[in-house]
């Protein structure tokens, strides 16, 4: 109990003062009450006149800047699993730069997982300030949920793409079945491991790589459907995600070939493993977008520092870290550096999701209920 509470409790406690003191007691009581009101009003006026570190986060559009105070600021980065190595190298560089420029310490809460599950988590309430996902379709789902403002892909270079890769075919040591091209995956007796495009982002890229290898080299959609069906007939099990597909291939020893991200294979090589793999010369550009989650940064008052971090990811310094971790640089000057020219095989025919109609059309044509992939699965089961 505060001294003021004890005083007012004492003043209001029933007492039987002598009749001769009733008038003076009443006057004292009235004076203390007025004094307390005056103190309250003074505090209210003072709180309106200046901010404090305990103020709630600014409302959207309030114009408050976290860099205006010199305290710490937290950012929550939600990304797909295979970017972890790159971000853990990039984040300390940004933190150091921000400290020098703004005198403010930035700490990062980081979350990594499958792109689809990360997308659902953000929609369901994980308060990400920034999302770095495997494909634009996932970012668009967060936009449709009202958390990201339309036009996010126009606010940064490369339509929002900050990292990219291509699809690789991993084979058994020595490649006993001579698998090098997409066409080889359709041959009799070849077992292919890949994830389910209905549940996995990387598996959707895998599907597009197979389909595009036909339609981007002169074949029509009928031929593409026939070829892709043959490949999926060679898939003994569709795993839920890329990580499980890798475990099935390496740990369980199933399959003759695994379709995976090039960056995953290169990162495995850096960790001492020696995977046998090939990069098909007809390939899909696996473009990974970055976006600020507008509703959350405005709620947290972190827009300034979030925008600065996203901008930093496009700098040569950050792009080199992505390249070291196995991602093909989006910065042309970094891509042209001898270290990375040697590291990344040239792609003869490289196509994008936009070349296949964009993710809206791709979803409708291939992965929606009753679309091409469901028809392929139906024909395999017959």
């Amino acid at each position: 109990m505060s001294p003021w509470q004890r005083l007012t409790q004492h003043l209001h406690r029933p007492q039987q003062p002598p009749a001769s003191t009733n008038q003076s007691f009443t006057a004292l009581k009235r004076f203390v009450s007025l004094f307390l009101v005056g103190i309250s009003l003074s505090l209210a006026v003072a709180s309106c006149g200046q901010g404090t570190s305990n103020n709630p986060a600014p409302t959207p559009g309030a114009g408050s800047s976290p860099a205006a105070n010199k305290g710490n600021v937290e950012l929550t980065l939600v990304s797909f699993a295979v970017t972890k190595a790159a971000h853990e190298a990039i984040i300390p560089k940004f933190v150091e730069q921000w400290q020098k420029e703004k005198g403010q310490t930035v700490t990062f809460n980081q979350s990594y997982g499958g792109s689809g599950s990360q997308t659902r988590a953000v929609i369901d309430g994980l308060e990400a300030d920034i999302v770095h996902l495997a494909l634009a379709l996932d970012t668009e789902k967060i936009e449709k949920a009202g958390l990201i403002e339309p036009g996010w892909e126009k606010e940064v270079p490369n339509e929002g793409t900050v990292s990219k890769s291509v699809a690789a075919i991993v084979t058994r040591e020595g490649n006993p079945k001579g698998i090098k091209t997409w066409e080889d995956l359709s041959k009799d007796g070849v077992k292919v491991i890949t994830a389910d495009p209905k549940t996995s982002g990387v598996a959707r890229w895998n599907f597009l790589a197979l389909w595009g290898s036909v339609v981007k080299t002169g074949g029509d959609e009928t031929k593409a459907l026939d070829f892709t069906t043959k490949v999926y007939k060679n898939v003994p099990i569709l795993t839920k995600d890329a990580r499980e597909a890798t475990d099935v291939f390496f740990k369980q020893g199933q399959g003759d070939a695994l379709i995976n991200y090039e960056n995953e294979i290169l990162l495995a090589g850096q960790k001492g493993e020696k995977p046998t793999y090939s990069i098909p010369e007809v390939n899909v550009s696996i473009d990974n977008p970055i976006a600020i989650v507008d509703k959350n940064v405005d709620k947290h008052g972190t827009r300034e520092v979030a925008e600065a971090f996203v901008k930093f990811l496009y700098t040569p310094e950050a792009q080199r870290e992505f390249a070291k971790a196995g991602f093909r640089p989006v910065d042309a000057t970094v891509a042209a550096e001898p270290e990375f020219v040697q590291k990344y095989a040239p792609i003869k025919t490289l196509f994008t999701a936009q070349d296949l109609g964009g993710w809206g059309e791709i979803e409708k044509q291939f992965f929606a209920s009753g679309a091409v992939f469901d028809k392929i699965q139906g024909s395999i089961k017959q």
Side-chain angles (χ1 to χ4, degrees):
M1 181 179 296
S2 70
W4 288 115
Q5 289 173 316
R6 286 195 294 270
L7 176 60
T8 54
Q9 184 183 65
H10 171 76
L11 291 174
H12 289 84
R13 184 180 298 136
Q15 298 184 40
Q16 299 297 328
S20 61
T21 62
N22 280 344
Q23 186 173 2
S24 61
F25 177 80
T26 301
L28 174 62
K29 184 175 178 181
R30 184 181 298 113
F31 171 79
V32 170
S33 298
L34 290 172
F35 181 76
L36 290 174
V37 170
I39 289 292
S40 298
L41 288 172
S42 297
L43 291 173
V45 170
S47 68
C48 291
Q50 62 182 12
T52 72
S53 60
N54 294 321
N55 281 348
T59 55
S64 297
S65 168
N69 66 72
K70 298 302 181 182
N72 295 346
V73 60
E74 289 188 0
L75 282 182
T76 297
L77 170 67
V78 174
S79 190
F80 64 111
V82 298
T83 64
K84 184 177 180 181
H87 281 302
E88 288 186 340
I90 293 169
I91 284 172
K93 296 178 182 295
F94 172 76
V95 169
E96 181 181 4
Q97 176 180 297
W98 189 259
Q99 177 67 44
K100 288 180 179 178
E101 292 181 356
K102 302 291 184 177
Q104 187 178 42
T105 300
V106 184
T107 56
F108 278 77
N109 301 312
Q110 301 171 60
S111 174
Y112 300 96
S115 188
S117 61
Q118 294 290 75
T119 299
R120 289 189 294 273
V122 172
I123 292 172
D124 290 342
L126 175 57
E127 293 191 0
D129 295 295
I130 301 164
V131 288
H132 182 190
L133 300 171
L135 62 166
L137 178 65
D138 287 340
T139 312
E140 289 167 4
K141 289 178 181 177
I142 300 175
E143 176 189 332
K144 289 178 181 177
L147 299 174
I148 296 177
E149 293 294 328
W152 57 269
E153 69 279 9
K154 305 297 184 184
E155 296 177 0
V156 290
N158 306 318
E159 295 291 308
T161 298
V162 74
S163 62
K164 63 182 180 179
S165 190
V166 294
I169 302 174
V170 187
T171 57
R172 296 298 173 190
E173 186 176 356
N175 193 11
K177 294 197 174 181
I179 300 167
K180 295 182 179 180
T181 68
W182 299 122
E183 184 67 29
D184 293 334
L185 299 180
S186 67
K187 294 178 179 178
D188 293 339
V190 173
K191 298 300 181 184
V192 182
I193 303 300
T194 184
D196 188 343
K198 303 285 278 190
T199 60
S200 166
V202 66
R204 294 188 180 202
W205 287 116
N206 294 349
F207 181 96
L208 296 183
L210 295 168
W211 187 273
S213 71
V214 176
V215 299
K216 291 302 173 182
T217 55
D220 60 18
E221 292 197 347
T222 300
K223 186 176 180 180
L225 177 61
D226 178 64
F227 167 70
T228 309
T229 300
K230 287 180 179 178
V231 173
Y232 280 94
K233 281 183 178 179
N234 286 344
V235 177
I237 179 174
L238 285 170
T239 63
K240 66 181 179 182
D241 56 35
R243 185 64 60 191
E244 185 178 331
T246 300
D247 288 344
V248 166
F249 184 77
F250 285 109
K251 294 182 180 180
Q252 299 179 22
Q254 295 190 46
D256 303 300
L258 166 72
I259 311 176
N260 207 337
Y261 289 128
E262 176 191 43
N263 58 277
E264 276 277 77
I265 309 308
L266 292 175
L267 188 60
Q270 293 175 20
K271 293 180 178 179
E273 300 177 22
K274 296 181 179 179
T276 302
Y277 70 99
S278 63
I279 306 295
E281 62 180 12
V282 180
N283 220 309
V284 63
S285 182
I286 299 173
D287 298 334
N288 317 131
I290 192 86
I292 289 172
V293 186
D294 295 286
K295 185 173 182 180
N296 292 338
V297 296
D298 287 338
K299 177 181 178 181
H300 302 155
T302 54
R303 179 176 289 278
E304 181 185 7
V305 66
E307 288 178 347
F309 178 67
V310 169
K311 183 179 180 180
F312 184 78
L313 293 180
Y314 287 93
T315 64
E317 186 176 14
Q319 283 296 305
R320 287 189 190 97
E321 295 302 333
F322 277 121
K324 291 175 184 177
F327 293 93
R328 295 187 172 224
V330 299
D331 184 301
T333 59
V334 175
E337 293 177 6
E339 175 186 356
F340 304 124
V341 170
Q342 183 178 7
K343 186 174 184 175
Y344 296 104
I347 306 297
K348 181 178 178 181
T349 303
L350 186 68
F351 59 92
T352 68
Q354 288 300 318
D355 293 331
L356 297 176
W359 279 108
E361 183 60 33
I362 287 169
E363 179 75 1
K364 183 169 58 176
Q365 181 180 358
F366 298 115
F367 306 123
S369 180
V372 169
F373 185 74
D374 281 351
K375 291 177 180 178
I376 288 174
Q377 290 300 97
S379 67
I380 291 173
K381 293 176 182 178
Q382 289 178 357

